[in-house]
Amino acid sequence: MTPPSAPFIEQSGTLDTDQIRTEAVPLAGLIGLFVGLALVPFLGVFLFGGTTGLGFVFALATQFVLAVGTGVVLIYVVARGVQLADQ
């Protein structure tokens, strides 16, 4: 019985750049989505000033969006890694 091939490695032992690119595009899109969502409240910090109460709320909202986005991206990476390992 032959061992299963490792993800992102071709039979010759070199990197499978096509598979890497295929996996990187949706991941980059997911990261870009949350960065774009975080820019909305971040612009509020500049409009209302970082020292005012409203600017502070916008800064907290920006950090919250980035924290949730980081969690979603990490969950996606782990889930996709499990899927690739099972193939």
Side-chain angles (χ1 to χ4, degrees):
M1 182 169 145
T2 61
S5 65
F8 307 113
I9 304 294
E10 292 181 348
Q11 295 294 337
S12 63
T14 60
L15 289 177
D16 186 359
T17 55
D18 291 334
Q19 185 181 13
I20 292 172
R21 191 175 304 112
T22 301
E23 296 296 330
V25 169
L27 183 60
L30 189 60
I31 292 169
L33 171 70
F34 282 103
V35 168
L37 288 174
L39 282 176
V40 174
F42 188 65
L43 291 175
V45 173
F46 285 112
L47 291 176
F48 297 106
T51 58
T52 64
L54 194 55
F56 179 73
V57 170
F58 279 117
L60 284 179
T62 301
Q63 291 179 7
F64 179 76
V65 170
L66 289 175
V68 169
T70 301
V72 169
V73 168
L74 287 175
I75 289 171
Y76 172 80
V77 167
V78 169
R80 189 66 186 133
V82 169
Q83 286 177 348
L84 287 173
D86 289 340
Q87 288 182 356

